[in-house]
Amino acid sequence: MVPHLVTALSGPLLDLEEKILAATPAIERWFRLEWQEHTPPFYCSVDMRNAGYKLAPVDTNLFPGGFNMLATEMLPLSVQAAMAAIDKYCPDARNLLLIPEVTQRHPTYWQNVARLMQIFRQTGLHVRLGSLSPEVTAPTPIALPDGNMLVVEPLVRSPNGRRVGLKDFDPCTILLNNDLSAGIPDILQNIHEQSLLPPLHAGWALRRKSNHLNAYDEVCKKFGKLIGVDPWMLNPLHAKCDAVNFRTGEGYDCLAANIDTLLAKIKKKYKEYGMKEQKPFVIVKPDAGTYGTSILTIKDSSEIKDLTQAQRDKMIVIKDGKEVTDFIIQEGVPTFESIREAVAEPVVYMIDRYVVGGFYRIHAEKGIDQNLNAPGSQYVPLAFAQQHAVPDLKAKPGTAAPNRFYVYGVVARLALLAASLEMERTDPNPEVY
């Protein structure tokens, strides 16, 4: 399914699609060369916005939690990609330990865990679940909506202190599906004999979105030069403010100044492309964290000083009760895609360097300039399958599902490459990367 593209401002994006399709051989060669120099994250999901005049990633998640939303026909591709990923770290792997989120109670999250276990079991691995929760002191069953059952078990450290596993299960590879928002637990530190994927510095205890956005700036400049497009077509402008306190108002001047600067730059770009009707806006969100929390849509810097108490409270604490003071200001990219009259945005999933599917996140109660990752959102699977691999070069721009999906896959892989650079540059132990 391809949503209706609700926009009269489609000219620049259709031109972008045309240029990407025309440059497909050069693009694929460029990616192959980049992956010889850089190691992709183990897995990744990218939230994107199709605004008609630009197509840009707005969030890159290194602990994706929606594998159950992928179309079932994408499973074989996921299994192949998982095999390639595991081979890099532990070619003789037999056992995989999967560590899920602790605070998740929603059944759909556990369906995601079940799908991940299914994928890795089909690669030939024994897969079991180990929990970081202090409440899990014995094998604990978790019922799934489809009637199946998962079992989470307490983690144990090996007698020599160098390995982590379960009571009778010694894994070669440990896969985190826990983004470490609550911090890095002691039991995961100083692991020397196993592959821990993603690495600890990929978790929100250490990771910062501003590092990713800076890396993405570089990737987009190189890619824009490669195919002859303005990098802005693929890249939201951004800025950063530290030491912001929404309780006291400290740091508001920094936010207001950066909001004014970004809005002026966006207006200039709108004028350059003749977009008189489009109104610029920015998104203020934490420099660390996920789950669509603590997000503001701002159209004028004066709004920062006029926030309600409820809005300020929302910006203070994120997942796992962590208080935040560092924020990024990101160019707002409206979504002009819709499904059944509800606004939609594509989310693309990758394992290693391969696109393995995705879905549309839709929300009937949100506007084109609002965060869709909120209660009430729904999901429509996106079957990339052959369409992604084989774009229809004879189709007119903007008319073919394979071409739309291929372009999504290209932009998602740009974010994946930026995440790779980000991980290299923030690695506390680069000599063992």
Side-chain angles (χ1 to χ4, degrees):
M1 174 183 288
V2 180
H4 180 52
L5 190 59
V6 193
T7 177
L9 302 168
S10 54
L13 192 69
L14 298 188
D15 180 56
L16 175 66
E17 179 181 300
E18 200 166 15
K19 286 186 175 177
I20 287 177
L21 292 171
T24 296
I27 290 170
E28 296 304 326
R29 177 179 180 272
W30 181 74
F31 273 122
R32 284 194 298 272
L33 293 174
E34 290 293 330
W35 295 131
Q36 288 179 21
E37 299 292 328
H38 307 287
T39 302
F42 188 83
Y43 54 9
C44 177
S45 67
V46 178
D47 295 9
M48 285 191 283
R49 287 290 187 114
N50 189 341
Y53 56 88
K54 75 187 294 178
L55 175 65
V58 293
D59 197 37
T60 302
N61 186 3
L62 299 182
F63 300 86
F67 278 92
N68 55 308
M69 305 295 183
L70 305 188
T72 52
E73 57 263 45
M74 302 305 294
L75 265 176
L77 186 56
S78 298
V79 172
Q80 285 183 318
M83 284 181 175
I86 288 289
D87 280 350
K88 287 183 178 177
Y89 299 97
C90 193
D92 61 344
R94 287 193 297 256
N95 297 334
L96 176 76
L97 178 63
L98 179 57
I99 299 180
E101 290 284 351
V102 171
T103 56
Q104 282 286 355
R105 298 287 185 265
H106 203 284
T108 56
Y109 173 74
W110 292 107
Q111 288 175 304
N112 155 71
V113 172
R115 173 62 66 86
L116 275 171
M117 294 180 75
Q118 179 187 6
I119 289 169
F120 286 100
R121 279 174 175 159
Q122 289 185 15
T123 69
L125 294 171
H126 300 291
V127 186
R128 285 165 67 176
L129 296 177
S131 177
L132 290 169
S133 172
E135 299 173 9
V136 176
T137 58
T140 304
I142 296 173
L144 298 177
D146 60 7
N148 288 319
M149 192 80 69
L150 297 178
V151 176
V152 293
E153 303 175 63
L155 296 174
V156 295
R157 200 84 186 211
S158 65
N160 68 5
R162 298 174 66 86
R163 300 177 71 86
V164 170
L166 306 177
K167 184 178 178 183
D168 56 352
F169 188 74
D170 183 23
C172 167
T173 305
I174 301 167
L175 179 60
L176 288 172
N177 199 241
N178 181 313
D179 64 19
L180 304 179
S181 291
I184 299 173
D186 290 341
I187 198 167
L188 293 184
Q189 301 203 40
N190 300 312
I191 296 174
H192 302 291
E193 298 177 356
Q194 295 160 297
S195 296
L196 182 63
L197 304 167
L200 293 179
H201 66 284
W204 288 121
L206 298 174
R207 188 184 179 214
R208 296 295 177 265
K209 292 175 186 175
S210 50
N211 291 328
H212 176 79
L213 296 176
N214 291 336
Y216 188 73
D217 286 345
E218 294 180 38
V219 169
C220 271
K221 285 177 185 175
K222 289 175 68 176
F223 184 78
K225 189 175 181 180
L226 175 75
I227 67 169
V229 301
D230 181 351
W232 177 76
M233 294 283 189
L234 302 158
N235 191 8
L237 301 170
H238 62 92
K240 179 186 175 185
C241 281
D242 297 334
V244 177
N245 189 324
F246 278 90
R247 282 197 183 94
T248 64
E250 181 185 356
Y252 277 15
D253 289 343
C254 177
L255 285 176
N258 277 288
I259 288 169
D260 283 337
T261 299
L262 276 189
L263 289 174
K265 288 180 179 178
I266 299 166
K267 283 179 184 175
K268 188 176 179 182
K269 277 294 181 184
Y270 286 177
K271 185 177 180 181
E272 180 182 341
Y273 288 100
M275 294 157 44
K276 298 177 182 177
E277 303 300 320
Q278 189 61 36
K279 301 296 183 188
F281 66 99
V282 297
I283 302 295
V284 178
K285 56 186 176 182
D287 199 12
T290 184
Y291 286 96
T293 56
S294 304
I295 291 177
L296 287 174
T297 299
I298 301 289
K299 297 178 181 177
D300 188 279
S301 62
S302 63
E303 295 173 35
I304 284 291
K305 294 174 183 174
D306 297 330
L307 295 175
T308 65
Q309 185 65 48
Q311 287 175 311
R312 292 200 300 271
D313 289 344
K314 185 182 75 169
M315 299 301 290
I316 293 168
V317 178
I318 57 170
K319 183 188 167 202
D320 292 330
K322 288 289 180 181
E323 291 200 10
V324 287
T325 57
D326 297 348
F327 290 85
I328 58 169
I329 306 99
Q330 192 173 38
E331 175 188 349
V333 183
T335 177
F336 286 139
E337 291 185 286
S338 69
I339 294 176
R340 298 190 291 272
E341 298 184 1
V343 291
E345 63 184 11
V347 183
V348 177
Y349 272 60
M350 290 159 287
I351 297 177
D352 197 68
R353 60 191 177 102
Y354 305 101
V355 173
V356 297
F359 51 80
Y360 281 106
R361 182 186 288 119
I362 64 174
H363 205 303
E365 298 173 9
K366 296 291 185 179
I368 62 171
D369 60 353
Q370 292 180 296
N371 170 42
L372 305 189
N373 189 10
S377 59
Q378 296 177 300
Y379 305 91
V380 178
L382 236 172
F384 279 76
Q386 292 89 11
Q387 301 109 294
H388 162 70
V390 188
D392 183 358
L393 299 178
K394 295 181 180 178
K396 291 182 179 179
T399 63
N403 294 352
R404 179 91 66 88
F405 292 168
Y406 177 75
V407 173
Y408 287 166
V410 168
V411 176
R413 285 183 287 162
L414 294 178
L416 183 75
L417 179 57
S420 174
L421 298 178
E422 172 199 0
M423 288 297 98
E424 290 173 16
R425 293 168 184 176
T426 58
D427 191 346
N429 301 298
E431 69 278 4
V432 295
Y433 190 81

